Amino acid sequence: MSDASVARGDFNAPRRILPTDRVLDFTCGRPELDTWLQRHSLRAEKQGTSTVFVVTMPDDSIAGFSSLSAHGIERESTGGGWLARNTPMMIPAVLLGRLSVAQNAQGRGLGSSLLAHAIAQVAHSSAHIGIRALVVDPIDEAAAAFYARYSFRPFPGDHRRMYIPIRPSILEP
């Protein structure tokens, strides 16, 4: 994470969630996201259904988190085009299932930094396994606008869903 706020020491670098993390203290203003972190994130990590990354503040409170999961897109659902071209019936992808910033950390660029970290994780993985896209299901219109600023585009056939193409060359300078 290259965000200036990390360099200033406002936040620690992203890392995998730990059982000792203070998940119960996290509040972002969206109860469904708070509840997922508090009740489901550690189980998802333990069961291997999601990789959860947290960014903490110097006092070890969670400032934000993201989750990534393996995902498959049915080729017929894409409507054709680049996403479906020369792919198997289930197109390999990664789902950015959750991305959230605590209320007391909002407005400092952490959401953008968490997204950049998620994209970097997926791009790195794509050098080792096939990944065609990073997919997100924005929670509302504001979230959709956030992802659109980072080149996510509406999913063909389902405009509530968005994606960004992932190519191994994304890591090249």
Side-chain angles (χ1 to χ4, degrees):
M1 182 176 279
S2 60
D3 186 72
S5 58
V6 172
R8 286 193 314 262
D10 293 349
F11 305 115
N12 296 313
R15 62 166 172 76
R16 299 278 292 270
I17 194 168
L18 299 170
T20 55
D21 283 324
R22 296 168 29 201
V23 296
L24 295 177
D25 297 340
F26 184 84
T27 57
C28 70
R30 297 297 302 239
E32 59 271 44
L33 294 172
D34 296 344
T35 299
W36 189 86
L37 179 68
Q38 295 162 358
R39 296 186 186 166
H40 305 289
S41 61
L42 289 168
R43 184 177 327 117
E45 178 82 23
K46 184 178 180 180
Q47 293 176 340
T49 59
S50 186
T51 300
V52 182
F53 294 94
V54 295
V55 169
T56 58
M57 294 189 199
D59 68 358
D60 289 329
S61 62
I62 296 174
F65 74 95
S66 65
S67 68
L68 296 172
S69 301
H71 189 64
I73 305 164
E74 292 184 21
R75 187 171 62 202
E76 298 84 38
S77 72
T78 67
W82 175 87
L83 189 58
R85 191 172 301 125
N86 299 317
T87 63
M89 295 302 289
M90 290 300 290
I91 302 168
V94 173
L95 177 66
L96 176 58
R98 309 278 188 287
L99 188 149
S100 186
V101 175
Q103 286 178 317
N104 62 348
Q106 292 176 5
R108 296 193 269 174
L110 183 55
S112 298
S113 294
L114 281 165
L115 180 58
H117 178 262
I119 292 169
Q121 293 295 310
V122 174
H124 178 74
S125 295
S126 76
H128 305 283
I129 61 171
I131 300 172
R132 190 78 164 169
L134 176 60
V135 177
V136 66
D137 296 310
I139 198 165
D140 57 24
E141 290 301 317
F146 169 78
Y147 291 113
R149 285 195 306 271
Y150 296 96
S151 301
F152 280 75
R153 52 186 90 151
F155 198 85
D158 184 354
H159 293 301
R160 296 169 299 177
R161 188 160 245 222
M162 300 176 82
Y163 77 99
I164 188 170
I166 299 293
R167 298 178 177 100
S169 62
I170 199 169
L171 292 174
E172 296 173 6

